[in-house]
Amino acid sequence: MHRMDKKDTYLIVVAVVICIIISCLSPYIASGDPDGLEKSAEDSGLAEDFAIEEINGIPDAIFPDYAFADNPDSQPLQIVALVIGAFITLILGFGVAYVVKK
């Protein structure tokens, strides 16, 4: 098995720390207005035509709008949802890289 170089380990640790910092700051600096994709859908009229609630068989999001469904306006819970999402994404990325490398 190939051991990771110290430089690679340092890079990964720095990337994880940056992800956590961005996750912690996002609820405080993000706009309350729709994001670019939602705004484009609203401007084109697609938001009303293709409501996700009308499509059968698609499960609900784990963290809709980057929050817990019980308390969507709680910024600390938004941070928890963002950190969990960042770690899930990083783990999936490492998993795919591991499979591709083999």
Side-chain angles (χ1 to χ4, degrees):
M1 182 175 235
H2 179 268
R3 281 191 45 98
M4 241 193 292
D5 191 13
K6 269 193 169 191
K7 189 168 136 182
D8 292 339
T9 304
Y10 177 74
L11 181 64
I12 290 169
V13 168
V14 168
V16 169
V17 169
I18 290 172
C19 286
I20 292 171
I21 290 170
I22 290 171
S23 296
C24 291
L25 294 177
S26 291
Y28 301 104
I29 60 176
S31 172
D33 294 326
D35 64 19
L37 184 59
E38 288 179 26
K39 178 78 170 120
S40 298
E42 288 174 4
D43 289 348
S44 66
L46 291 175
E48 293 82 25
D49 294 342
F50 296 104
I52 194 74
E53 293 83 14
E54 296 173 9
I55 301 174
N56 294 327
I58 296 178
D60 290 335
I62 297 171
F63 300 121
D65 292 329
Y66 311 106
F68 288 90
D70 298 346
N71 195 353
D73 295 327
S74 170
Q75 289 179 331
L77 289 178
Q78 288 175 355
I79 292 171
V80 171
L82 287 163
V83 169
I84 291 171
F87 276 112
I88 290 171
T89 303
L90 288 170
I91 290 168
L92 288 174
F94 281 119
V96 168
Y98 180 77
V99 169
V100 169
K101 189 176 178 181
K102 282 220 166 219

